[in-house]
Amino acid sequence: MKTIKDIMGSWYSPFEMMLNDLGFWYPILLRTGVPTPRTIIINADSKLSPRDLVLLLDGERPEGIEETAERILLAMDSIGYPCFFRGGQLSDKHGWKDTCFVAQRPSTDEIMGRMGGIVEQCAMGNIGASPLLYENWVIRELIPTTPYLTFFRGEMPIVKEVRIFVRDGVVVCSHPYWPKEAITTIDEETHAALCSLSDGDREQVHSMANVISKYFRGYWSCDFLKSTAGEWYCTDMAQGEDSYHWADCPNKNTA
């Protein structure tokens, strides 16, 4: 019987996909001075290759996984609890309590379970092409926010976020992060409030996106989250052609 590692074979993601990894863009973003959550990046133990981590999905423990989990735990202790845990390219927010949301100090076994959940999502992330990367593991400050509702098993808080696309130093377009079809239980009034931006909010996030765009050549998306205190943070970035536009956006098919 073939294992997951056998099926995946000897793959590695192309350079363009590597640019979407937080390990690439976050150090550059930090230099812009735009507010971001406090972040620690942990690279997997040197004994682990990218393919070794898929052994977690077969119930095995690849050599070096315990050491990596210990380093992640130390980083979580440094950031404090609750904290946000993710891979370099995704967090599996839909799994929330089982993957990215860490309410209190976990055991190393729990950390390895969370890693396995994220690796599984990465392996499925590009069906028919190279899986997403997961060499980098990221521990982040959990920014206090005001949820409009919880979704995805009733666990994940849905908060005010916006995505802005920039190209070569210019803002191309912007959208609220959550289209209504992504949150099937939300009512029209709540969705309108979730998506609304004051003039001050819009000016602030567009100004931040303009600053960021000066540090990144080409086409990028920048995601911003609003805190309970009313401050905006840049939480995620990716190449523009790999990022979701709202269905009615005229830029959705442009690269």
Side-chain angles (χ1 to χ4, degrees), residues 187-198:
D187 60 74
E188 293 286 351
E189 183 178 353
T190 303
H191 188 251
L194 173 68
C195 294
S196 68
L197 291 181
S198 68

Side-chain angles (χ1 to χ4, degrees), residues 67-213:
E67 291 88 342
T68 299
E70 287 285 354
R71 291 165 60 212
I72 289 170
L73 181 58
L74 289 174
M76 288 179 175
D77 288 345
S78 177
I79 291 291
Y81 302 94
C83 63
F84 191 86
F85 178 58
R86 56 166 290 173
Q89 297 208 346
L90 58 76
S91 60
D92 188 19
K93 290 186 290 187
H94 296 180
W96 194 247
K97 290 182 180 178
D98 295 328
T99 49
C100 58
F101 176 69
V102 186
Q104 58 191 9
R105 193 176 199 265
S107 66
T108 52
D109 282 348
E110 181 184 334
I111 289 173
M112 286 184 274
R114 292 174 182 272
M115 293 172 73
I118 292 171
V119 169
E120 182 176 18
Q121 290 303 310
C122 287
M124 296 189 302
N126 276 28
I127 297 172
S130 298
L132 301 178
L133 302 178
Y134 42 76
E135 290 95 323
N136 289 321
W137 298 94
V138 182
I139 301 87
R140 312 194 84 180
E141 170 191 14
L142 193 71
I143 302 298
T145 55
T146 303
Y148 285 75
L149 74 160
T150 56
F151 196 61
F152 305 116
R153 302 189 300 187
E155 296 176 352
M156 180 183 167
I158 305 298
V159 304
K160 193 178 289 291
E161 298 179 79
V162 64
R163 172 167 289 175
I164 299 183
F165 289 82
V166 297
R167 188 196 300 273
D168 296 324
V170 177
V171 170
V172 175
C173 58
S174 63
H175 317 284
Y177 187 84
W178 293 106
K180 191 172 185 302
E181 58 268 23
I183 315 170
T184 54
T185 59
I186 197 169
D187 60 74
E188 293 286 351
E189 183 178 353
T190 303
H191 188 251
L194 173 68
C195 294
S196 68
L197 291 181
S198 68
D199 290 342
D201 283 339
R202 187 172 292 102
E203 181 179 352
Q204 185 177 355
V205 291
H206 277 246
S207 176
M208 292 162 68
N210 273 316
V211 170
I212 292 169
S213 69

Side-chain angles (χ1 to χ4, degrees), residues 4 10 14 22 24 27 33 40 45 47 60 82 87 99 128 139 164 194-195 202 215 226 231 237 248:
I4 294 174
S10 180
L22 188 145
F24 169 79
I40 298 175
D45 189 273
K47 299 183 184 70
E60 299 181 38
T99 49
I139 301 87
I164 299 183
L194 173 68
C195 294
R202 187 172 292 102
Y215 288 74
K226 188 176 185 179
E231 299 169 339
M237 292 187 64
D248 59 355

